[in-house]
Amino acid sequence: MLTTPTAAPDTRQDVRQRMPALAALAVAGFLAVTTEMLPVGLLPAIGGAFGVDDAVTGLLVTVFAVMVAVFAVPLTVATRRYPRKPLILITVAGYLISNLLSAFAPSFAVVAAGRVVGGVAHALFFSVCIGYVPRLVERGQVGRGLALVAGGTTAGFVLGVPLSTALGAAIGWRGSFAVLAVLAAGVLVAILRFLPAVSGTPAGRRIQTSGARSALGVVVTSNTLTFIGQYTVYTYISVILLTGGAGESWIGPLLLVCGVCGLAGLACVGRTIDRHPRTTVLTVLALLAATILAVGLTHAWFVGLVVAIALWNGLFGGVPSMYQTAAVRVFHEAPEVAGAWINGTSNLGIALGAVLGGLFLGSSPAILALSVTAAALVVAGLTVAVMGKRGFAP
């Protein structure tokens, strides 16, 4: 049973000392993202197993994101006073249950129920995970710690989905979910072994000042606009590559290269975000907008298109940890609440970006319009960051 703490000893140490704990959180992040995205590559197989249309099967992805967008902030606020370790164990157990339900589902409705369970767990997981880092490492190393944990999330996009999809082709879609359930069990063991217990927000403590709330609003608004812009294009990256001249067999390797570039970008942001937060944010967003625009401008030249896409994905690799770091800095008394807002608005941006991008699909001129619109949204996020100095101050 969860109980509220009465005292909270300082558990912060150097990043190197906390590496086992940060690694456990990173692997949990890998599990979380892979659980969320796994159905993308398995939709035809799942739909075929139950005689369900692809459009209906696609709701397995949608319902997960909706659960996150709806419940991220309410669940985080409701549980902010409870000890952190039991909460993160509960969320990982949620992924375990979600994947088991999907693996052994006798009907499509049970698969959907499993996705609901996973979505609710996901709504709380990243909030707790993001809030855990500033309680583990020294304040001057929070950005580096978050970047290390975000490496697991990025690896989920880069390796988790392609590998689990290939696994599904080899042993069936149920086997992919079963493997993730086993991974979830392993993550539970790792968290029990390596993650220290930390307290939540003490009862009666006010959640930040109006100035801090205003600064968080700046970060959240910029995050939302940037994610809408990013996923306006990224959701349809395969379509862009195919219409730009790539063969179908090239898509997987090219996406893997983009993922590796994203990991490199994450590493670069992790080295600078603590010392030069504002400069890092403004530089990354400006270059991100430029490379997204370059995708549209080079669409008719395949080599140039591949280079532009690689640079664009490399720059975006560090964006999530960049916003996470800014949010927990300005809302440091309640980092889980900050994480919840980042988690919820990121998923909102993913959903809205996918809808907006779908309006532009078609010929090459449409790809240019797609990239111009996406770049403009990122510029809007950059403008918010420029004007809201307190949100991205050292």
Side-chain angles (χ1 to χ4, degrees):
M1 180 176 178
L2 297 175
T3 57
T4 56
T6 57
D10 191 350
T11 56
R12 291 176 292 185
Q13 295 180 359
D14 182 84
V15 164
R16 292 182 182 179
Q17 294 173 291
R18 286 303 190 193
M19 194 59 70
L22 295 174
L25 291 176
V27 175
F30 175 86
L31 166 71
V33 170
T34 307
T35 297
E36 179 179 15
M37 304 303 295
L38 176 61
V40 171
L42 302 175
L43 289 181
I46 297 172
F50 298 109
V52 177
D53 292 338
D54 287 344
V56 177
T57 312
L59 295 177
L60 295 177
V61 178
T62 304
V63 70
F64 199 103
V66 169
M67 292 298 102
V68 178
V70 172
F71 290 108
V73 175
L75 278 178
T76 300
V77 172
T79 60
R80 69 182 185 273
R81 296 190 179 97
Y82 294 115
R84 303 291 92 190
K85 189 170 182 176
L87 283 178
I88 204 164
L89 287 169
I90 289 171
T91 61
V92 174
Y95 293 130
L96 173 61
I97 294 169
S98 172
N99 287 308
L100 283 176
L101 283 173
S102 298
F104 298 101
S107 66
F108 182 78
V110 175
V111 179
R115 298 297 291 171
V116 170
V117 172
V120 174
H122 203 71
L124 187 58
F125 170 78
F126 273 108
S127 306
V128 179
C129 187
I130 292 169
Y132 227 110
V133 176
R135 289 183 166 92
L136 291 177
V137 303
E138 297 169 356
R139 181 166 294 182
Q141 296 183 322
V142 169
R144 185 182 173 194
L146 284 170
L148 289 170
V149 173
T153 302
T154 304
F157 284 111
V158 177
L159 302 173
V161 175
L163 289 178
S164 56
T165 302
L167 188 64
I171 64 175
W173 64 270
R174 293 183 185 274
S176 290
F177 283 106
V179 169
L180 277 186
V182 173
L183 176 60
V187 171
L188 284 172
V189 173
I191 290 174
L192 283 169
R193 173 66 178 83
F194 297 112
L195 202 62
V198 298
S199 64
T201 303
R205 177 179 291 179
R206 183 180 180 184
I207 302 183
Q208 301 292 99
T209 64
S210 59
R213 291 194 293 271
S214 176
L216 179 62
V218 169
V219 177
V220 166
T221 301
S222 180
N223 180 69
T224 304
L225 291 168
T226 300
F227 265 77
I228 295 174
Q230 168 70 12
Y231 280 88
T232 295
V233 183
Y234 186 76
T235 304
Y236 304 99
I237 186 172
S238 296
V239 175
I240 293 172
L241 285 168
L242 288 170
T243 58
E248 289 189 11
S249 62
W250 299 1
I251 300 301
L254 286 173
L255 291 180
L256 184 61
V257 169
C258 290
V260 172
C261 291
L263 287 173
L266 174 63
C268 292
V269 167
R271 294 177 66 89
T272 63
I273 192 64
D274 285 315
R275 291 174 293 170
H276 310 290
R278 183 168 177 79
T279 301
T280 299
V281 169
L282 300 185
T283 301
V284 168
L285 292 182
L287 292 175
L288 181 66
T291 51
I292 289 176
L293 182 60
V295 170
L297 294 174
T298 60
H299 187 253
W301 177 36
F302 182 67
V303 174
L305 175 65
V306 171
V307 172
I309 287 177
L311 292 173
W312 155 44
N313 281 271
L315 286 160
F316 187 77
V319 168
S321 64
M322 191 172 73
Y323 281 115
Q324 291 166 10
T325 302
V328 299
R329 278 207 179 109
V330 298
F331 227 65
H332 58 84
E333 293 292 346
E336 290 82 10
V337 175
W341 280 105
I342 294 297
N343 187 19
T345 56
S346 295
N347 277 273
L348 178 64
I350 291 170
L352 292 178
V355 173
L356 181 60
L359 301 177
F360 291 94
L361 292 183
S363 61
S364 294
I367 299 300
L368 178 59
L370 181 75
S371 65
V372 169
T373 302
L377 285 162
V378 175
V379 169
L382 171 62
T383 303
V384 171
V386 169
M387 297 179 65
K389 295 182 179 180
R390 290 189 61 184
F392 300 94

